[in-house]
Amino acid sequence: MVDKKLGGAGLRGQSAGETSLCTVGKSGSGLTYCGYDVSDLADNATFEEVAYLLFNGELPTLDQLATYKTELTAMRDLPQALKEVLQRIPADAHPMDVMRTGCSFLGNIEPENDFSEQNRAANRLLAAFPAIMCYWYRYSHDGVEIDCTTDEESLGGHFLKLLNGETPSEQHRRVMDVSLILYAEHEFNASTFTARVCASTLSDMFSCITGAIGTLRGPLHGGANEAAMDMIEKFKSPEDAKEQMAGMLARKEKIMGFGHAIYRTSDPRNVIIKAWSEKLAKENGDTSLYDISVACEEYMWDTKKLFCNADFFHASTYNYMGIPTKLFTPIFVCSRLTGWAAHVMEQRSNNRIIRPSADYTGSEPRKVVPIAQR
Ligand SMILES: CC(=O)SCCNC(=O)CCNC(=O)[C@H](O)C(C)(C)COP(=O)(O)OP(=O)(O)OC[C@H]1O[C@@H](n2cnc3c(N)ncnc32)[C@H](O)[C@@H]1OP(=O)(O)O
Ligand SMILES: O=C([O-])CC(=O)C(=O)O
């Protein structure tokens, strides 16, 4: 992986602290969690194993995983008060605002009283996020009050069953699992850094995660998977995609799902999720969305040397699984919560308040002119 030339605005290239959780843009595929290559984890682990790894520094044994999954399963249901709050949020609300409110409200009724409760708080959010998303979605869109518990073993399968009310296929469970693994952690990205800044004030876990959700919401970060979907579904064919993208670039519009702050030539997560998109496309018997996505990828590389980031092929992958576009970024939340919480714990373990300086560019010192004379 070629190192990107870093510098300039956005704190690019400046180290803002230490982490033992993740490398981005380094050796191998360029992305490792606690020393494990993300492609190795995507091939050989489950999301729950990755969550355990991020929270404990080591992959679990069979016994440890079984205990952990039992613990998470017992924490999936939502308190009645939270269900009532979710019922009041309208169908046209932004689902990321629903996640932010759900997280914040849970922090009111099940607060993290001190840091000895940090694992409980993180696991509670991990277990409850799929229900927060789906309870609101099914209530506001279909008028259905779903049962927030399922017999699905994995969080990915649990989410799909809550959403569709049907037992998901083994393949869809696996795709969700891989997707959750790919999105789990990414060093000092904007939302994780938000969580760490909040943690550095010795704030509570729910506040750190609520702030991170707000940061992930933006289209330059997690919101790009939805924005990419909105874009590709407007393209009628691969040729139309290229034509329309040429117009967007000429108008200096950002093409969502392309480019990255750290990677320079590729995002290692793309090849993995792209392969799943292709597989699902072939099985669906309609490959047009995949073909259009590939045309976008080729066009952006040929014209701008910009490559797909993790978000771009997530759009077609989720779409082939029948997941509504507005839930794409909330799924990212369900996954990245693991990285955020692990960073909060790491920050707390060796803390100094994060407080950088600014280069002043304002006016010279001046006197207040009385208001009547201005
Ligand atoms: C999971 C994630 O959060 S991955 C990121 C998801 N975000 C997106 O997909 C949004 C689209 N992408 C972008 O906006 C950017 O690539 C970011 C925000 C990801 C990174 O921003 P930066 O680090 O500032 O990008 P970078 O320094 O590589 O930009 C270089 C040039 O390419 C342009 N560029 C970068 N990405 C894009 C894009 N997707 N579409 C069009 N032009 C782009 C920039 O505008 C810049 O042009 P300039 O030199 O004329 O100003
Ligand atoms: O690292 C970043 O800047 C954004 C990103 O890819 C992520 O958070 O997964």
Side-chain angles (χ1 to χ4, degrees), residues 4 12 183 219-222 224 249 253-261 269 300 304 306 309-311 332:
K4 185 167 181 167
R12 206 69 83 254
Y183 271 146
L220 295 190
H221 193 7
L249 289 176
E253 288 171 26
K254 279 264 164 77
I255 314 278
M256 296 305 165
F258 285 87
H260 198 272
R269 299 164 293 186
M300 286 295 279
K304 298 282 285 183
L306 281 168
N309 58 47
D311 281 329
F332 197 156

Side-chain angles (χ1 to χ4, degrees), residues 7 24 115 129 156 193 202 207 232 253 283 334 348-349 351-352 361:
V24 170
F115 294 171
F129 270 154
F193 195 59
L202 303 184
S207 299
I232 58 176
E253 288 171 26
E283 284 171 16
C334 295
R348 286 172 172 179
S349 69
N351 187 56
R352 188 175 190 195
T361 58

Side-chain angles (χ1 to χ4, degrees), residues 24 182-183 185-186 188-192 216 221 260-263 267 269 309-310 332 336:
V24 170
L182 297 181
Y183 271 146
E185 162 56 8
H186 218 242
F188 277 21
N189 61 85
S191 55
T192 301
L216 190 70
H221 193 7
H260 198 272
I262 305 295
Y263 299 125
D267 180 330
R269 299 164 293 186
N309 58 47
F332 197 156
R336 184 57 60 85

Side-chain angles (χ1 to χ4, degrees), residues 104-337:
S104 180
F105 187 75
L106 203 56
N108 284 284
I109 54 177
E110 298 177 11
E112 181 197 29
N113 296 303
D114 63 66
F115 294 171
S116 69
E117 294 177 3
Q118 61 183 7
N119 284 78
R120 184 211 39 93
N123 286 325
R124 174 64 166 137
L125 284 170
L126 183 60
F129 270 154
I132 291 178
M133 179 187 358
C134 294
Y135 183 87
W136 166 77
Y137 183 80
R138 295 296 312 282
Y139 185 84
S140 60
H141 289 66
D142 305 329
V144 178
E145 254 186 85
I146 58 165
D147 178 354
C148 294
T149 61
T150 69
D151 51 4
E152 286 292 313
E153 259 194 47
S154 68
L155 276 161
H158 174 58
F159 158 68
L160 291 171
K161 187 154 186 187
L162 290 179
L163 178 65
N164 299 318
E166 288 165 14
T167 300
S169 68
E170 199 43 58
Q171 189 190 52
H172 281 190
R173 284 194 190 110
R174 185 61 197 145
V175 182
M176 272 317 295
D177 220 35
V178 170
S179 166
L180 294 172
I181 291 170
L182 297 181
Y183 271 146
E185 162 56 8
H186 218 242
E187 199 221 32
F188 277 21
N189 61 85
S191 55
T192 301
F193 195 59
T194 303
R196 283 192 83 125
V197 171
C198 188
S200 82
T201 70
L202 303 184
S203 188
D204 70 295
M205 181 67 81
F206 293 89
S207 299
C208 298
I209 304 302
T210 302
I213 294 172
T215 309
L216 190 70
R217 184 189 194 288
L220 295 190
H221 193 7
N225 56 13
E226 280 176 50
M229 187 65 224
D230 292 341
M231 179 181 76
I232 58 176
E233 69 185 350
K234 289 195 191 102
F235 299 155
K236 294 183 194 71
S237 64
E239 297 68 38
D240 181 47
K242 291 183 183 184
E243 235 171 75
Q244 294 210 44
M245 287 178 105
M248 291 169 78
L249 289 176
R251 292 189 296 276
K252 302 238 173 291
E253 288 171 26
K254 279 264 164 77
I255 314 278
M256 296 305 165
F258 285 87
H260 198 272
I262 305 295
Y263 299 125
R264 182 171 180 159
T265 53
S266 65
D267 180 330
R269 299 164 293 186
N270 178 52
V271 65
I272 302 170
I273 200 64
K274 181 181 172 188
W276 277 110
S277 173
E278 182 177 18
K279 207 167 179 330
L280 292 172
K282 286 189 176 142
E283 284 171 16
N284 271 24
D286 175 5
T287 61
S288 59
L289 203 56
Y290 177 77
D291 297 338
I292 285 170
S293 303
V294 171
C296 295
E297 183 179 35
E298 286 171 3
Y299 184 77
M300 286 295 279
W301 183 255
D302 292 347
T303 56
K304 298 282 285 183
K305 289 286 168 283
L306 281 168
F307 54 89
C308 296
N309 58 47
D311 281 329
F312 190 69
F313 276 93
H314 260 105
S316 51
T317 302
Y318 287 163
N319 186 276
Y320 283 128
M321 292 170 74
I323 299 173
T325 306
K326 58 163 64 174
L327 299 186
F328 289 5
T329 318
I331 298 174
F332 197 156
V333 171
C334 295
S335 163
R336 184 57 60 85
L337 174 271

